[in-house]
Amino acid sequence: MSIFMLFCTFFYIGLFTIGGGVVALTLMQQTIVDKGLIDSQTFYNMVAISESTPGPLGINMATYIGYNLYGVPGGIIATAGEVLPSLICIIIIAGFLKKFSDNIYVKGVLAFLRPVSTGLVLLPFLQIFVFALLNLPDSSFNFSVQSLINLFKWTNLAAYFVFVFVFFKFKLHPIFVILAGALFGILFL
């Protein structure tokens, strides 16, 4: 992939990402991972790092992937490609939305986009959940007790439930949960 194609790819991702950066993960996976530019392991590691750093997830991922492929120029080009469609669209929409906000068709489009974007947010969540917590078998799966026990990454699953409980029970700031998760990974994995 040339650096121009990198820009075009992230422009495409930025143009069709409705619902935020999490939705962009699905498009990024289809256009970057499925085409073999980076492997799944690297992609999910990038997701974890991008979620843990300040800023929007989609932009962090674009920067990280661009940097991974082409260094600093790639990071800048991928980020510009990701951001430019939103910038163009919001300038255009801001001018028209106030005028047409009571239009029945505009209301219909916005009402329909909410459940669609919710579904698009759910897909990457499920993909990351499966990658992080399940050992999916490479071959046929028989339903024995041992195969069910081996299905889960028990350490990761236990950490997941502990961190979710601690997060909601003690109302910790997410940065503390992220730092604790990183420390847990260093110590126990």
Side-chain angles (χ1 to χ4, degrees):
M1 174 182 286
S2 69
I3 201 157
F4 175 73
M5 286 306 298
L6 180 71
F7 174 82
C8 292
T9 299
F10 279 97
F11 189 89
Y12 161 78
I13 292 168
L15 186 62
F16 291 103
T17 298
I18 298 173
V22 176
V23 177
L25 293 179
T26 303
L27 287 173
M28 285 180 195
Q29 184 173 21
Q30 290 173 348
T31 56
I32 305 295
V33 176
D34 292 352
K35 292 184 179 178
L37 295 171
I38 59 174
D39 60 47
S40 294
Q41 177 77 31
T42 303
F43 181 77
Y44 289 118
N45 288 341
M46 288 178 169
V47 171
I49 291 169
S50 294
E51 281 280 5
S52 303
T53 56
L57 175 64
I59 295 170
N60 289 349
M61 284 293 293
T63 306
Y64 196 179
I65 291 170
Y67 179 81
N68 191 48
L69 295 174
Y70 290 103
V72 172
I76 293 168
I77 293 296
T79 303
E82 176 79 15
V83 171
L84 194 57
S86 298
L87 183 63
I88 293 168
C89 287
I90 201 67
I91 289 170
I92 293 169
I93 290 171
F96 289 105
L97 189 58
K98 189 170 184 178
K99 183 177 180 182
F100 294 106
S101 63
D102 292 330
N103 184 297
I104 190 166
Y105 298 111
V106 171
K107 286 182 179 180
V109 166
L110 294 175
F112 183 74
L113 285 177
R114 286 184 205 111
V116 169
S117 61
T118 302
L120 291 172
V121 168
L122 183 61
L123 180 61
F125 165 78
L126 292 175
Q127 290 171 332
I128 292 168
F129 184 85
V130 166
F131 180 79
L133 302 177
L134 299 179
N135 287 318
L136 293 180
D138 294 331
S139 58
S140 64
F141 183 75
N142 60 3
F143 285 98
S144 67
V145 172
Q146 187 61 39
S147 64
L148 288 174
I149 290 172
N150 291 336
L151 179 62
F152 296 99
K153 296 177 183 175
W154 290 102
T155 308
N156 293 7
L157 194 62
Y160 172 80
F161 285 114
V162 166
F163 286 121
V164 166
F165 173 78
V166 166
F167 179 74
F168 286 110
K169 175 71 176 173
F170 298 106
K171 308 287 187 215
L172 291 178
H173 192 279
I175 191 66
F176 294 119
V177 177
I178 291 168
L179 291 173
L183 181 62
F184 176 83
I186 290 167
L187 295 176
F188 295 104
L189 297 179

